[in-house]
Amino acid sequence: AILDPEGGDQPFYSEDEKIILVQNGEIFNFRDLRRELINAGESFKTSCDTEVLLKLYLHEGVSFLDKLNGMFAIAIYHVDDDKLLLARDRIGEKPLYFSKSEKCLYFASEIKAFLPYISNEIDLNAIDAFLNLNYIPPPLTGFKNVSHVLPGHYLEITAEGINDFEWWDLSSQSPF
């Protein structure tokens, strides 16, 4: 919405309204990606980077993450499959938290967005880590029922459970 205040309202829906995407972040190379998609025959209604993400996802599936240069937390919901994808940027510049109960899954870029709806029981392992390391290492948070999506990872969440996939790893990168 920052790049296109009139057309950047989220969520963005696919033409058939079966795929829904929201994001928090900024995609630095979205103009280049947009041009690639236009050259492939795609058209756009806005100048927003979030619309580019949706169209790129529809063209490439989850491998679209490899093309992104930026900081982001992305959620993609598949209506027909009742499947949710949560993806985080390579280094984790944009936070992405989630909490799953028996009946509900919450996700947000800030824990306070869903804290009123979940148990706020303190995670003693996280507190121990903080006292020893001076920070809480992900996926831990200060709360028992809240986790980070790890940097460079995406979650695939279905009724069967949560699967965690690493889509990017710093150790596999060459310095040159």
Side-chain angles (χ1 to χ4, degrees):
I2 292 171
L3 296 171
D4 182 0
E6 287 80 37
D9 287 341
Q10 295 187 44
F12 273 84
Y13 294 84
S14 61
E15 292 292 325
D16 61 6
E17 298 190 349
K18 293 183 177 188
I19 308 289
I20 306 164
L21 187 142
V22 295
Q23 72 123 348
N24 175 22
E26 185 176 355
I27 308 304
F28 306 130
N29 64 333
F30 87 94
R31 287 180 182 88
D32 294 332
L33 297 170
R34 188 176 195 270
R35 273 191 295 277
E36 284 180 28
L37 289 165
I38 288 170
N39 290 339
E42 195 60 65
S43 62
F44 291 86
K45 296 177 182 171
T46 73
S47 57
C48 182
D49 59 352
T50 306
E51 185 181 16
V52 172
L53 293 177
L54 176 62
K55 304 271 180 145
L56 190 60
Y57 176 74
L58 293 172
H59 276 261
E60 308 214 2
V62 76
S63 67
F64 88 110
L65 293 167
D66 294 325
K67 289 190 165 188
L68 303 183
N69 176 4
M71 52 182 177
F72 54 84
I74 301 171
I76 304 168
Y77 181 63
H78 290 247
V79 173
D80 285 348
D81 300 334
D82 195 25
K83 176 174 70 173
L84 177 68
L85 299 176
L86 298 177
R88 195 163 175 210
D89 62 70
R90 288 170 176 81
I91 308 175
E93 196 165 348
K94 285 294 179 182
L96 184 53
Y97 302 97
F98 70 98
S99 179
K100 184 168 180 2
S101 67
E102 288 180 32
K103 296 181 181 181
C104 211
L105 176 101
Y106 300 95
F107 67 91
S109 291
E110 296 181 345
I111 296 172
K112 69 180 181 180
F114 54 78
L115 200 52
Y117 309 105
I118 64 166
S119 164
N120 60 358
E121 189 176 350
I122 300 296
D123 184 344
L124 295 179
N125 291 325
I127 302 306
D128 181 59
F130 179 77
L131 293 173
N132 283 295
L133 304 170
N134 208 24
Y135 76 101
I136 298 173
L140 297 174
T141 66
F143 300 97
K144 255 191 182 174
N145 299 317
V146 179
S147 296
H148 280 273
V149 175
L150 292 171
H153 283 237
Y154 73 90
L155 302 180
E156 184 179 273
I157 303 163
T158 65
E160 287 77 42
I162 300 174
N163 293 307
D164 186 342
F165 299 94
E166 182 177 62
W167 67 270
W168 187 84
D169 178 33
L170 177 62
S171 67
S172 67
Q173 304 303 305
S174 170
F176 303 105

